[in-house]
């Protein structure tokens, strides 16, 4: 495993529809964001300096925001936006699109996995992130879907796994 991979942490997590609250102002969401911030700070304490986020709505946004906040105190932290395709945010609501573009703008760089949307681009993005990293932080509730696939792939690839259930 290369030195860069050893210092790289990626993220997977649920979109808002799979989280057990309707609003980010819910105290359970606030508590998850705090646990996510703590996991990001622990990754930094463990030597991770490169963080990759898939930039989906929901938990990905929380992760990206936590890493960007960490970078304010530690400018050596680098944030990579792993974007599955150009149209990732095209069908989202205005507020989510604005948040997405504001977050991507603050990242150190973007990796576009492919230009056009197809049914496999999200999986390709997830594999790209795992293949670059040695640790994955996952907001995961045990249900079927993309997060489960990414966690399973990460375990098969030997990544260190940090699971944060949406609720504790």
């Amino acid at each position: 495993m290369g030195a860069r991979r050893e210092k790289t942490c990626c993220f997977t997590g649920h979109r808002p529809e799979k989280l057990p609250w309707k609003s980010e102002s819910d105290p359970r969401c606030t508590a998850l964001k705090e646990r996510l911030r703590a996991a990001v700070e622990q990754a930094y304490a463990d030597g991770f300096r490169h963080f990759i986020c898939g930039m989906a709505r929901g938990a990905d946004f929380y992760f990206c925001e936590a890493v960007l906040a960490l970078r304010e105190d530690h400018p050596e932290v680098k944030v990579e936006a792993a974007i599955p395709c150009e149209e990732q945010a095209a069908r989202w609501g205005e507020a989510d699109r604005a948040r997405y573009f504001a977050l991507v703008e603050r990242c150190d760089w973007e990796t576009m996995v492919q230009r056009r949307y197809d049914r496999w681009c999200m999986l390709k993005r997830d594999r790209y992130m795992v293949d670059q990293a040695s640790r994955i932080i996952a907001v995961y509730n045990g249900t079927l879907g993309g997060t489960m696939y990414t966690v399973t792939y990460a375990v098969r690839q030997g990544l260190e796994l940090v699971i944060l259930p949406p609720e504790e």
Side-chain angles (χ1 to χ4, degrees), residues 12 14 18 140 142-154:
T12 190
H14 296 301
K18 280 199 172 179
Y140 179 52
T143 59
L144 292 173
T147 300
M148 184 194 81
Y149 168 82
T150 306
V151 166
T152 302
Y153 181 68

Side-chain angles (χ1 to χ4, degrees), residues 49-147:
R49 299 296 182 264
H50 177 204
F51 294 83
I52 308 174
C53 182
M55 305 310 295
R57 294 178 308 111
D60 280 28
F61 282 0
Y62 313 158
F63 172 78
C64 191
E65 289 163 349
V67 176
L68 289 168
L70 177 72
R71 188 181 68 186
E72 289 177 17
D73 293 328
H74 303 283
E76 69 278 16
V77 166
K78 301 299 178 207
V79 188
E80 177 181 357
I83 299 173
C85 63
E86 281 183 340
E87 302 93 23
Q88 179 174 14
R91 294 193 175 108
W92 297 352
E94 187 176 332
D96 285 332
R97 264 195 328 274
R99 189 174 182 183
Y100 167 83
F101 286 116
L103 289 171
V104 169
E105 177 68 27
R106 292 179 59 205
C107 290
D108 294 289
W109 69 89
E110 303 169 36
T111 299
M112 180 123 11
V113 175
Q114 64 185 50
R115 221 165 142 65
R116 303 230 180 266
Y117 173 84
D118 67 26
R119 61 188 280 199
W120 305 111
C121 66
M122 305 296 175
L123 251 65
K124 289 176 187 173
R125 183 256 337 261
D126 296 341
R127 280 184 171 246
Y128 165 79
M129 293 189 303
V130 168
D131 290 345
Q132 307 305 308
S134 63
R135 179 181 291 181
I136 187 168
I137 298 171
V139 169
Y140 179 52
N141 64 11
T143 59
L144 292 173
T147 300

